[in-house]
Coordinates of all heavy atoms in Angstrom, one line a residue:
M1141 N 94.0 119.5 92.1 CA 93.4 118.4 92.8 C 93.3 118.6 94.3 O 94.3 118.9 94.9 CB 94.2 117.2 92.5 CG 93.5 116.1 92.0 SD 94.3 114.6 91.8 CE 92.9 113.7 92.4
D1142 N 92.1 118.5 94.9 CA 92.1 118.8 96.3 C 92.7 117.6 97.1 O 92.7 116.4 96.7 CB 90.7 119.2 96.8 CG 89.7 118.1 96.8 OD1 89.9 117.1 97.5 OD2 88.8 118.2 96.0
S1143 N 93.3 117.9 98.3 CA 94.1 116.9 99.0 C 93.2 115.8 99.5 O 93.8 114.7 99.8 CB 94.8 117.6 100.1 OG 93.9 118.3 101.0
E1144 N 92.0 116.0 99.7 CA 91.1 115.0 100.2 C 91.1 113.8 99.2 O 91.0 112.6 99.6 CB 89.7 115.5 100.3 CG 88.7 114.7 101.2 CD 87.3 115.2 101.1 OE1 87.1 116.4 101.4 OE2 86.4 114.4 100.8
N1145 N 91.2 114.0 97.9 CA 91.2 113.0 96.9 C 92.5 112.4 96.6 O 92.7 111.4 95.9 CB 90.5 113.5 95.6 CG 89.1 113.8 95.8 OD1 88.4 113.1 96.6 ND2 88.6 114.8 95.1
Q1146 N 93.6 113.0 97.2 CA 94.9 112.7 96.8 C 95.3 111.2 97.1 O 96.1 110.6 96.3 CB 95.9 113.6 97.5 CG 97.2 113.7 96.8 CD 97.2 114.5 95.5 OE1 96.8 115.7 95.6 NE2 97.6 113.9 94.4
N1147 N 94.8 110.7 98.2 CA 95.2 109.3 98.6 C 94.2 108.2 98.1 O 94.5 107.1 98.2 CB 95.3 109.2 100.1 CG 96.4 110.1 100.6 OD1 97.5 110.2 100.0 ND2 96.1 110.7 101.7
E1148 N 93.2 108.7 97.4 CA 92.2 107.7 97.0 C 92.7 106.9 95.8 O 93.4 107.4 95.0 CB 91.0 108.5 96.5 CG 89.7 107.8 96.7 CD 88.5 108.6 96.1 OE1 88.4 109.7 96.6 OE2 87.9 108.1 95.2
F1149 N 92.4 105.6 95.9 CA 92.8 104.7 94.8 C 91.7 103.8 94.3 O 90.7 103.7 95.0 CB 94.1 103.9 95.2 CG 93.8 103.0 96.4 CD1 93.3 101.7 96.2 CD2 94.1 103.4 97.7 CE1 93.1 100.9 97.2 CE2 93.9 102.6 98.7 CZ 93.4 101.3 98.5
F1150 N 91.9 103.3 93.2 CA 90.9 102.3 92.7 C 91.6 101.1 92.2 O 92.8 101.1 92.0 CB 90.0 102.9 91.5 CG 90.9 103.6 90.5 CD1 91.3 102.8 89.3 CD2 91.3 104.9 90.6 CE1 92.0 103.4 88.3 CE2 92.1 105.5 89.6 CZ 92.4 104.7 88.5
V1151 N 90.8 100.0 92.2 CA 91.4 98.7 91.9 C 90.8 98.1 90.6 O 89.6 98.2 90.4 CB 91.1 97.7 93.0 CG1 91.7 96.3 92.7 CG2 91.7 98.2 94.3
I1152 N 91.7 97.6 89.7 CA 91.2 97.0 88.5 C 91.7 95.6 88.4 O 92.9 95.4 88.5 CB 91.7 97.8 87.2 CG1 91.2 99.2 87.3 CG2 91.2 97.1 85.9 CD1 92.2 100.2 86.6
K1153 N 90.8 94.7 88.3 CA 91.2 93.3 88.2 C 90.8 92.8 86.8 O 89.6 92.8 86.5 CB 90.5 92.4 89.3 CG 90.9 91.0 89.2 CD 90.2 90.1 90.3 CE 90.7 88.7 90.1 NZ 90.0 87.8 91.0
A1154 N 91.8 92.3 86.1 CA 91.5 91.8 84.7 C 90.8 90.4 84.8 O 91.3 89.5 85.6 CB 92.8 91.7 83.9
L1155 N 89.7 90.2 84.1 CA 89.0 88.9 84.1 C 89.3 88.2 82.8 O 88.8 87.1 82.6 CB 87.5 89.2 84.2 CG 87.1 89.9 85.5 CD1 85.6 90.1 85.5 CD2 87.5 89.1 86.7
E1156 N 90.1 88.7 81.9 CA 90.6 88.0 80.7 C 92.0 88.6 80.4 O 92.4 89.6 80.9 CB 89.6 88.2 79.6 CG 89.5 89.6 79.1 CD 88.6 89.8 77.9 OE1 87.9 88.8 77.5 OE2 88.4 91.0 77.4
D1157 N 92.7 87.9 79.5 CA 94.0 88.4 79.0 C 93.8 89.6 78.2 O 92.8 89.8 77.4 CB 94.7 87.3 78.2 CG 95.2 86.2 79.0 OD1 95.2 86.3 80.3 OD2 95.6 85.1 78.5
G1158 N 94.8 90.5 78.2 CA 94.8 91.7 77.3 C 93.9 92.8 77.6 O 93.4 93.6 76.7
V1159 N 93.5 93.0 78.9 CA 92.7 94.1 79.3 C 93.6 95.4 79.3 O 94.7 95.4 79.7 CB 92.1 93.9 80.7 CG1 91.5 95.2 81.3 CG2 91.1 92.8 80.7
N1160 N 93.1 96.4 78.7 CA 93.8 97.7 78.6 C 93.3 98.7 79.6 O 92.1 99.0 79.6 CB 93.7 98.3 77.2 CG 94.8 97.8 76.3 OD1 95.9 98.1 76.5 ND2 94.4 97.1 75.3
V1161 N 94.2 99.3 80.3 CA 93.9 100.4 81.2 C 94.6 101.6 80.6 O 95.8 101.7 80.5 CB 94.4 100.1 82.6 CG1 94.1 101.3 83.6 CG2 93.9 98.8 83.2
I1162 N 93.7 102.6 80.2 CA 94.3 103.7 79.5 C 94.1 105.0 80.4 O 92.9 105.3 80.8 CB 93.5 103.9 78.2 CG1 93.7 102.6 77.3 CG2 94.0 105.1 77.4 CD1 92.7 102.4 76.2
G1163 N 95.2 105.7 80.6 CA 95.1 106.9 81.4 C 94.9 108.1 80.5 O 95.6 108.2 79.4
L1164 N 94.0 109.0 80.8 CA 93.7 110.2 80.0 C 94.2 111.5 80.8 O 94.0 111.5 82.0 CB 92.2 110.3 79.7 CG 91.8 109.3 78.7 CD1 91.1 108.1 79.4 CD2 90.8 109.9 77.6
T1165 N 94.7 112.4 80.0 CA 95.3 113.6 80.7 C 94.3 114.5 81.3 O 93.2 114.7 80.8 CB 96.1 114.4 79.6 OG1 95.3 114.7 78.5 CG2 97.3 113.6 79.1
R1166 N 94.8 115.2 82.4 CA 94.0 116.2 83.0 C 94.2 117.5 82.3 O 95.3 117.7 81.7 CB 94.5 116.4 84.5 CG 93.7 117.3 85.3 CD 94.2 117.3 86.7 NE 94.0 116.0 87.4 CZ 92.9 115.6 87.9 NH1 91.8 116.3 87.8 NH2 92.8 114.4 88.4
G1167 N 93.2 118.4 82.3 CA 93.4 119.7 81.6 C 92.6 119.8 80.4 O 91.8 119.0 80.1
T1168 N 92.8 120.9 79.6 CA 92.0 121.2 78.5 C 92.2 120.2 77.3 O 91.3 120.0 76.5 CB 92.4 122.6 77.9 OG1 93.8 122.7 77.8 CG2 91.9 123.7 78.9
D1169 N 93.4 119.7 77.3 CA 93.7 118.7 76.2 C 93.5 117.3 76.8 O 94.4 116.8 77.6 CB 95.2 119.0 75.8 CG 95.6 118.1 74.7 OD1 94.8 117.6 73.9 OD2 96.8 117.9 74.6
T1170 N 92.5 116.6 76.4 CA 92.2 115.3 76.9 C 92.7 114.2 75.9 O 92.2 114.1 74.8 CB 90.7 115.1 77.1 OG1 90.2 116.1 77.9 CG2 90.4 113.7 77.7
R1171 N 93.8 113.6 76.2 CA 94.4 112.6 75.3 C 94.9 111.4 76.1 O 95.1 111.5 77.4 CB 95.5 113.2 74.5 CG 96.6 113.8 75.3 CD 97.7 114.5 74.5 NE 98.5 115.2 75.4 CZ 99.4 114.7 76.2 NH1 99.6 113.4 76.2 NH2 100.1 115.5 77.0
F1172 N 95.1 110.3 75.4 CA 95.7 109.1 76.1 C 97.2 109.4 76.4 O 97.9 110.0 75.6 CB 95.8 107.9 75.1 CG 94.4 107.3 74.8 CD1 93.2 107.9 75.1 CD2 94.4 106.1 74.1 CE1 92.0 107.3 74.8 CE2 93.1 105.5 73.8 CZ 92.0 106.1 74.1
H1173 N 97.6 109.1 77.6 CA 99.0 109.3 77.9 C 99.7 108.0 78.4 O 100.9 107.9 78.5 CB 99.3 110.4 79.0 CG 98.8 110.0 80.4 ND1 99.5 109.2 81.2 CD2 97.7 110.4 81.0 CE1 98.8 109.0 82.3 NE2 97.7 109.7 82.3
H1174 N 98.9 107.0 78.7 CA 99.5 105.7 79.2 C 98.5 104.6 78.9 O 97.3 104.7 79.1 CB 99.8 105.8 80.7 CG 100.5 104.6 81.2 ND1 101.9 104.6 81.3 CD2 100.0 103.4 81.7 CE1 102.2 103.4 81.8 NE2 101.1 102.7 82.0
S1175 N 99.1 103.5 78.5 CA 98.3 102.3 78.3 C 99.0 101.1 79.0 O 100.2 100.8 78.7 CB 98.1 102.0 76.8 OG 97.4 100.8 76.6
E1176 N 98.2 100.5 79.8 CA 98.8 99.3 80.6 C 98.0 98.1 80.2 O 96.8 98.1 80.2 CB 98.6 99.6 82.1 CG 99.4 98.8 83.0 CD 100.9 99.1 83.0 OE1 101.3 100.2 82.8 OE2 101.7 98.1 83.1
K1177 N 98.7 97.0 79.9 CA 98.0 95.8 79.6 C 98.1 94.8 80.7 O 99.1 94.5 81.3 CB 98.7 95.2 78.3 CG 97.7 94.3 77.5 CD 98.2 94.1 76.1 CE 97.1 94.5 75.2 NZ 97.5 94.5 73.8
L1178 N 96.9 94.3 81.1 CA 96.8 93.3 82.2 C 96.3 92.0 81.7 O 95.4 91.9 80.8 CB 95.8 93.8 83.2 CG 96.0 95.2 83.9 CD1 94.8 95.4 84.9 CD2 97.3 95.3 84.6
D1179 N 96.9 90.9 82.1 CA 96.4 89.6 81.8 C 95.5 89.1 82.9 O 95.4 89.7 84.0 CB 97.6 88.6 81.6 CG 98.3 88.9 80.3 OD1 97.6 89.3 79.3 OD2 99.5 88.6 80.2
R1180 N 94.8 88.1 82.6 CA 93.7 87.5 83.5 C 94.3 87.4 84.9 O 95.4 86.8 85.1 CB 93.3 86.2 83.0 CG 92.1 85.6 83.7 CD 91.8 84.2 83.1 NE 91.0 83.4 84.0 CZ 89.7 83.5 84.2 NH1 89.0 84.4 83.5 NH2 89.1 82.7 85.1
N1181 N 93.5 87.9 85.9 CA 93.8 87.8 87.3 C 94.9 88.8 87.7 O 95.2 88.9 88.9 CB 94.2 86.4 87.8 CG 93.0 85.5 87.8 OD1 91.8 86.0 87.9 ND2 93.2 84.2 87.7
E1182 N 95.4 89.6 86.8 CA 96.4 90.6 87.3 C 95.5 91.8 87.8 O 94.4 92.1 87.3 CB 97.2 91.1 86.1 CG 98.4 90.2 85.8 CD 99.4 90.7 84.8 OE1 98.9 91.3 83.8 OE2 100.6 90.5 85.0
V1183 N 96.1 92.5 88.8 CA 95.4 93.6 89.4 C 96.3 94.8 89.3 O 97.5 94.8 89.5 CB 95.2 93.2 90.9 CG1 94.8 94.4 91.7 CG2 94.2 92.1 91.1
M1184 N 95.6 95.9 89.0 CA 96.3 97.2 89.1 C 95.6 98.1 90.1 O 94.4 98.2 90.1 CB 96.2 97.9 87.7 CG 96.9 99.2 87.6 SD 97.1 99.7 85.9 CE 97.6 101.4 86.1
I1185 N 96.4 98.7 90.9 CA 95.9 99.7 91.9 C 96.5 101.0 91.5 O 97.7 101.2 91.3 CB 96.4 99.3 93.3 CG1 95.9 97.9 93.7 CG2 95.9 100.3 94.3 CD1 96.6 97.3 94.9
A1186 N 95.5 102.0 91.3 CA 96.0 103.3 90.7 C 95.2 104.4 91.4 O 94.2 104.2 92.1 CB 95.7 103.3 89.2
Q1187 N 95.7 105.6 91.1 CA 95.1 106.8 91.7 C 94.9 107.8 90.5 O 95.5 107.7 89.5 CB 96.1 107.5 92.7 CG 96.3 106.7 93.9 CD 97.3 107.4 94.8 OE1 98.5 107.6 94.3 NE2 97.0 107.7 96.0
F1188 N 94.0 108.8 90.8 CA 93.9 109.9 89.9 C 94.9 110.9 90.4 O 95.1 111.1 91.6 CB 92.5 110.5 90.0 CG 91.4 109.7 89.3 CD1 90.6 108.9 90.0 CD2 91.4 109.5 87.9 CE1 89.6 108.1 89.4 CE2 90.5 108.7 87.3 CZ 89.6 108.0 88.0
T1189 N 95.6 111.5 89.5 CA 96.8 112.3 89.8 C 96.7 113.7 89.1 O 95.8 113.9 88.3 CB 98.1 111.7 89.4 OG1 98.1 111.7 88.0 CG2 98.2 110.2 89.9
E1190 N 97.7 114.5 89.3 CA 97.9 115.7 88.6 C 97.9 115.5 87.1 O 97.5 116.4 86.4 CB 99.3 116.2 89.1 CG 99.7 117.5 88.6 CD 101.2 117.8 88.9 OE1 101.8 117.0 89.8 OE2 101.8 118.7 88.3
H1191 N 98.3 114.4 86.7 CA 98.5 114.1 85.2 C 97.3 113.3 84.6 O 97.1 113.3 83.5 CB 99.8 113.3 84.9 CG 101.0 114.0 85.5 ND1 101.4 115.2 85.0 CD2 101.8 113.7 86.5 CE1 102.5 115.5 85.6 NE2 102.7 114.6 86.6
T1192 N 96.6 112.6 85.5 CA 95.5 111.7 85.1 C 94.2 112.0 85.7 O 94.0 112.0 86.9 CB 95.9 110.2 85.5 OG1 97.2 109.9 85.1 CG2 94.9 109.2 85.0
S1193 N 93.2 112.4 84.8 CA 91.9 112.7 85.4 C 90.8 111.7 85.0 O 89.7 111.7 85.6 CB 91.5 114.1 84.9 OG 91.2 114.0 83.5
A1194 N 91.1 110.8 84.1 CA 90.1 109.8 83.7 C 90.9 108.6 83.2 O 92.0 108.6 82.8 CB 89.3 110.4 82.5
V1195 N 90.1 107.5 83.3 CA 90.7 106.2 82.9 C 89.7 105.4 82.1 O 88.5 105.4 82.4 CB 91.1 105.3 84.2 CG1 91.5 104.0 83.8 CG2 92.1 106.1 85.0
K1196 N 90.2 104.9 81.0 CA 89.3 104.1 80.1 C 89.8 102.6 80.2 O 91.0 102.4 80.1 CB 89.4 104.6 78.7 CG 88.6 103.8 77.7 CD 88.6 104.6 76.4 CE 88.1 103.7 75.3 NZ 87.9 104.4 74.1
I1197 N 88.8 101.7 80.4 CA 89.2 100.3 80.5 C 88.5 99.5 79.4 O 87.3 99.6 79.2 CB 88.8 99.8 81.9 CG1 89.7 100.5 82.9 CG2 89.0 98.3 82.0 CD1 89.0 100.6 84.3
R1198 N 89.4 98.8 78.7 CA 88.9 98.0 77.5 C 89.1 96.5 77.9 O 90.2 96.2 78.2 CB 89.8 98.3 76.3 CG 89.2 99.3 75.4 CD 89.9 99.3 74.1 NE 89.6 100.5 73.3 CZ 90.5 101.3 72.7 NH1 91.7 100.9 72.7 NH2 90.1 102.3 72.1
G1199 N 88.1 95.7 77.7 CA 88.2 94.3 78.0 C 87.4 94.0 79.3 O 86.9 94.9 80.0
K1200 N 87.4 92.7 79.6 CA 86.6 92.2 80.8 C 87.4 92.5 82.1 O 88.4 91.9 82.3 CB 86.3 90.8 80.5 CG 85.0 90.3 81.1 CD 84.7 88.9 80.7 CE 83.6 88.4 81.7 NZ 83.4 87.0 81.7
A1201 N 86.8 93.3 82.9 CA 87.5 93.6 84.2 C 86.5 94.0 85.2 O 85.3 94.4 85.0 CB 88.4 94.8 83.9
L1202 N 87.0 93.9 86.5 CA 86.2 94.3 87.6 C 86.9 95.5 88.2 O 88.1 95.5 88.4 CB 86.2 93.1 88.6 CG 85.2 93.2 89.8 CD1 83.8 93.1 89.2 CD2 85.5 92.0 90.7
I1203 N 86.1 96.6 88.4 CA 86.7 97.8 88.9 C 86.1 98.2 90.3 O 84.8 98.2 90.4 CB 86.4 99.0 87.9 CG1 87.0 98.6 86.6 CG2 87.0 100.3 88.4 CD1 86.1 98.7 85.4
Q1204 N 86.9 98.4 91.3 CA 86.4 98.8 92.6 C 86.8 100.2 92.9 O 88.0 100.5 92.8 CB 87.0 97.8 93.6 CG 86.5 96.4 93.5 CD 87.1 95.5 94.5 OE1 88.3 95.7 94.8 NE2 86.4 94.5 95.0
T1205 N 85.9 101.0 93.3 CA 86.2 102.4 93.8 C 85.5 102.6 95.1 O 84.7 101.7 95.5 CB 85.7 103.5 92.8 OG1 84.3 103.6 92.9 CG2 86.2 103.2 91.4
K1206 N 85.7 103.7 95.8 CA 85.0 103.9 97.0 C 83.5 104.1 96.7 O 82.7 104.1 97.6 CB 85.6 105.1 97.8 CG 85.2 106.5 97.3 CD 85.6 107.5 98.3 CE 85.1 108.9 98.0 NZ 85.5 109.9 98.9
H1207 N 83.2 104.3 95.5 CA 81.7 104.5 95.1 C 81.1 103.2 94.8 O 79.9 103.2 94.6 CB 81.6 105.4 93.9 CG 82.3 106.8 94.1 ND1 81.8 107.7 94.9 CD2 83.5 107.2 93.6 CE1 82.7 108.8 94.9 NE2 83.7 108.5 94.1
G1208 N 81.8 102.1 94.8 CA 81.3 100.8 94.5 C 82.1 100.0 93.5 O 83.2 100.4 93.1
E1209 N 81.4 99.0 93.0 CA 82.1 98.0 92.1 C 81.4 98.0 90.8 O 80.1 98.1 90.8 CB 82.0 96.7 92.8 CG 82.9 95.7 92.2 CD 82.9 94.4 93.1 OE1 83.7 94.4 94.1 OE2 82.2 93.5 92.8
V1210 N 82.1 97.9 89.7 CA 81.5 97.8 88.4 C 82.3 96.9 87.6 O 83.5 96.8 87.7 CB 81.3 99.2 87.8 CG1 82.6 99.8 87.5 CG2 80.4 99.2 86.6
A1211 N 81.6 96.2 86.7 CA 82.2 95.3 85.7 C 82.0 95.9 84.3 O 81.1 96.6 84.1 CB 81.6 93.9 85.8
T1212 N 83.0 95.6 83.5 CA 82.9 96.2 82.1 C 81.9 95.5 81.2 O 81.6 96.0 80.2 CB 84.3 96.2 81.4 OG1 84.9 95.0 81.5 CG2 85.2 97.3 82.1
D1213 N 81.5 94.3 81.5 CA 80.6 93.6 80.6 C 79.2 93.7 81.0 O 78.9 94.0 82.1 CB 81.0 92.1 80.5 CG 80.9 91.4 81.9 OD1 81.1 92.1 82.9 OD2 80.7 90.2 81.9
Ligands
LIG157 N1 102.3 108.7 85.6 C1 100.9 108.6 85.7 C2 100.4 109.7 86.7 O1 101.0 110.0 87.7 C3 100.6 107.2 86.2 C4 99.2 106.9 86.5 C5 98.5 107.3 87.6 C6 98.2 106.2 85.6 N2 97.2 106.8 87.5 C7 97.0 106.2 86.4 C8 98.3 105.6 84.4 C9 95.8 105.6 85.8 C10 97.1 105.0 83.9 C11 95.9 105.0 84.6 O2 99.3 110.2 86.4

């Protein structure tokens, strides 16, 4: 991972109970390694790391990144 991206983070705000934030592993083997459950109005601030290269979000949520904002619905 290049150092320019190291401090970058994204924000996930749950818009309903039971939103799942799932971290997927970096490297040749892409699998789930972490699942975090958020209830309505809970916020998670996270980064892409050495271990995490992708994130899957299930449920109604608002996601903010430096590239913009997106909603899951
Ligand atoms: N231990 C994980 C890591 O360092 C924690 C993590 C970071 C994570 N970013 C995430 C978990 C995004 C879920 C989604 O990679």
Side-chain angles (χ1 to χ4, degrees):
M1141 232 188 138
D1142 66 66
S1143 56
E1144 199 187 305
N1145 294 325
Q1146 202 73 58
N1147 297 320
E1148 208 182 305
F1149 61 87
F1150 50 93
V1151 177
I1152 301 150
K1153 181 182 178 186
L1155 300 179
E1156 66 179 1
D1157 287 349
V1159 170
N1160 268 297
V1161 179
I1162 301 159
L1164 291 99
T1165 55
R1166 186 175 296 281
T1168 50
D1169 181 24
T1170 306
R1171 59 182 168 74
F1172 289 11
H1173 70 76
H1174 185 91
S1175 179
E1176 194 71 37
K1177 206 160 235 173
L1178 303 181
D1179 284 333
R1180 186 180 161 82
N1181 290 333
E1182 281 188 321
V1183 167
M1184 181 168 168
I1185 301 168
Q1187 293 174 304
F1188 290 105
T1189 69
E1190 183 191 343
H1191 305 293
T1192 307
S1193 67
V1195 174
K1196 175 172 171 171
I1197 294 155
R1198 268 195 194 131
K1200 211 173 164 196
L1202 196 62
I1203 301 126
Q1204 295 175 325
T1205 74
K1206 80 166 187 184
H1207 305 286
E1209 194 171 276
V1210 68
T1212 52
D1213 57 335

